[in-house]
Amino acid sequence: MFYAIISQDNENSLEKRLSVRAEHIARLKTLEDEGRLLIAGPHPNIDGEDPGPAGFSGSLIVAEFKSLEEAQTWADADPYIAAGVYKEVAVKPFKRVFPSV
């Protein structure tokens, strides 16, 4: 089943985000290589692709896991949590309807 991992950043966390981005991306790349990643990306603080110093307000990851517990465990191990980027992370089951497969 798919799970949505919805994260909210701490304010002024761009520097922390950038410091561990490579580790964060590597984990997502593993999910992608395993065919389990549906979508992932950050929420810019401004209306634009590259928010520059405005940074981000959080992230969305939708990926396939065997259970809610497994998805939560994976989310809890995110380098952004250890670095203090995220202040809150919610993990919820996600039912894909569109685009149809």
Side-chain angles (χ1 to χ4, degrees), residues 3-85:
Y3 294 87
I5 301 169
I6 307 153
S7 308
Q8 296 296 315
D9 284 14
N10 283 302
E11 289 192 34
N12 302 314
S13 61
L14 181 59
E15 192 171 310
K16 291 176 184 177
R17 179 183 272 269
L18 295 175
S19 74
V20 293
R21 184 175 188 274
E23 294 90 35
H24 173 79
I25 295 297
R27 296 178 80 232
L28 293 171
K29 181 69 175 138
T30 298
L31 288 177
E32 181 181 48
D33 291 347
E34 294 170 351
R36 297 170 45 203
L37 184 64
L38 184 61
I39 191 170
H43 303 286
N45 270 327
I46 61 171
D47 188 11
E49 285 283 319
D50 181 2
F56 302 92
S57 65
S59 301
L60 170 65
I61 298 166
V62 179
E64 188 174 21
F65 294 93
K66 292 179 183 174
S67 66
L68 178 59
E69 181 180 354
E70 182 182 293
Q72 185 69 59
T73 298
W74 187 91
D76 289 344
D78 196 302
Y80 284 173
I81 291 176
V85 175

